[in-house]
Amino acid sequence: MSKEITVLDRGFVRLIDHLGSDLRVVEAARVSYRSPSKGEEQDKKLLFYLFKNMHSSPFEQCSLTFNIKLPLFVQAQLVRHRMARLNQVSARYTKMHDDFYFPAIWRKQDDKNKQASKGEFSAIENSQFTHFLKEECSEAYRHYEYLVEQGVSREMARMILPQNLYTEIYWNIDLNNLFKFLNLRLDAHAQQEIREYAEAIYLLAKEVFPWSFEAFDKFKFQIVEREHSHG
Ligand SMILES: Cc1cc2nc3c(=O)[nH]c(=O)nc-3n(C[C@H](O)[C@H](O)[C@H](O)COP(=O)(O)OP(=O)(O)OC[C@H]3O[C@@H](n4cnc5c(N)ncnc54)[C@H](O)[C@@H]3O)c2cc1C
């Protein structure tokens, strides 16, 4: 059974499997000068050297596949990372479920950074906004079901569904490009929702590539590990 981390209210990240290991990175680098492993200490030292000096191609010899359930608007950000390979559930082939993301907290518009959010609303405002969103989603889904029942194609009926609808993907990425992704999406400038996915991906990947992530933490930045529920 693959490990799963719950993200947002009903999303998840699951590590399906991975190819290679920290040692594969070292072995791939050593093929350059046909030298065998020199023991754990030397191997780890080499991996750190590679990371620090951006000899990134040996990290591309390793890859990871994740199963991710995420809202459409987060997925739109994720697909920008072109070096990953992705398959998504088809809204043409299958009927979409009544499954939407409802944020626990509504964030205010940041008054300086036009792309960011900052600060919270009162509890009353917060629950009012959630109520609005729930009303809209339930109305949209009711209309979606009606269109499908009337014989409208699923590929067209889906236009009525909002961006917070959950979708599911298989996402495969090599270790080098995963670091590039994490660098951008763990950053405080990334939208909070995708940051939470990046944190879950980080935690799962770190378990299978411990040296590489030690190097990532050391040479890039430290992240605060949030509490995630493990299933
Ligand atoms: C905080 C934040 C805000 C953003 N805001 C916006 C926005 O307002 N509008 C918007 O459109 N996007 C926005 N983006 C998306 C951003 O522009 C990038 O598309 C996204 O972060 C993917 O980055 P990337 O191209 O490095 O990743 P990848 O596509 O995974 O590329 C990884 C590496 O491969 C290289 N690479 C990939 N494809 C090619 C290629 N065809 N040829 C040569 N080299 C290639 C890249 O240069 C990169 O070094 C935002 C991203 C972040 C993190």
Side-chain angles (χ1 to χ4, degrees), residues 80-84 115 177 180 184-185 189-191:
R80 300 306 305 278
H81 298 270
R82 295 159 290 175
M83 302 314 287
Q115 215 176 31
N177 278 292
K180 290 183 183 174
L184 290 169
R185 300 300 182 177
H189 291 96
Q191 181 165 344

Side-chain angles (χ1 to χ4, degrees), residues 20-69:
S21 62
D22 290 322
L23 266 183
R24 174 72 54 81
V25 175
V26 174
E27 286 160 9
R30 286 224 167 95
V31 81
S32 306
Y33 40 93
R34 293 184 186 281
S35 169
S37 167
K38 292 182 177 171
E40 194 171 309
E41 198 184 323
Q42 286 300 310
D43 288 348
K44 190 170 177 183
K45 207 169 153 190
L46 173 60
L47 185 144
F48 272 55
Y49 174 85
L50 295 169
F51 197 103
K52 187 176 175 194
N53 294 286
M54 294 165 76
H55 293 308
S56 52
S57 58
F59 293 92
E60 289 170 13
Q61 297 284 343
C62 303
S63 70
L64 305 96
T65 301
F66 297 95
N67 176 203
I68 306 175
K69 181 182 166 192

Side-chain angles (χ1 to χ4, degrees), residues 69-131:
K69 181 182 166 192
L70 71 179
L72 288 173
F73 71 90
V74 178
Q75 199 247 354
Q77 297 181 332
L78 195 76
V79 292
R80 300 306 305 278
H81 298 270
R82 295 159 290 175
M83 302 314 287
R85 292 155 291 276
L86 179 147
N87 286 97
Q88 182 179 12
V89 62
S90 170
R92 300 175 73 194
Y93 196 83
T94 58
K95 189 173 159 219
M96 293 291 93
H97 298 305
D98 184 358
D99 196 8
F100 298 94
Y101 162 54
F102 298 110
I105 305 283
W106 289 85
R107 306 181 297 274
K108 288 187 174 171
Q109 175 60 44
D110 191 319
D111 47 9
K112 291 198 179 71
N113 181 345
K114 288 187 178 162
Q115 215 176 31
S117 56
K118 194 172 107 181
E120 294 176 12
F121 291 90
S122 70
I124 292 171
E125 288 168 313
N126 203 69
S127 62
Q128 185 194 28
F129 301 159
T130 300
H131 177 68

Side-chain angles (χ1 to χ4, degrees), residues 3 5 15 201-210 213 230:
K3 198 156 191 188
I5 294 181
L15 177 62
I201 290 167
Y202 165 93
L203 292 174
L204 291 173
K206 189 177 186 168
E207 284 191 16
V208 286
F209 293 99
F213 276 83
H230 284 64

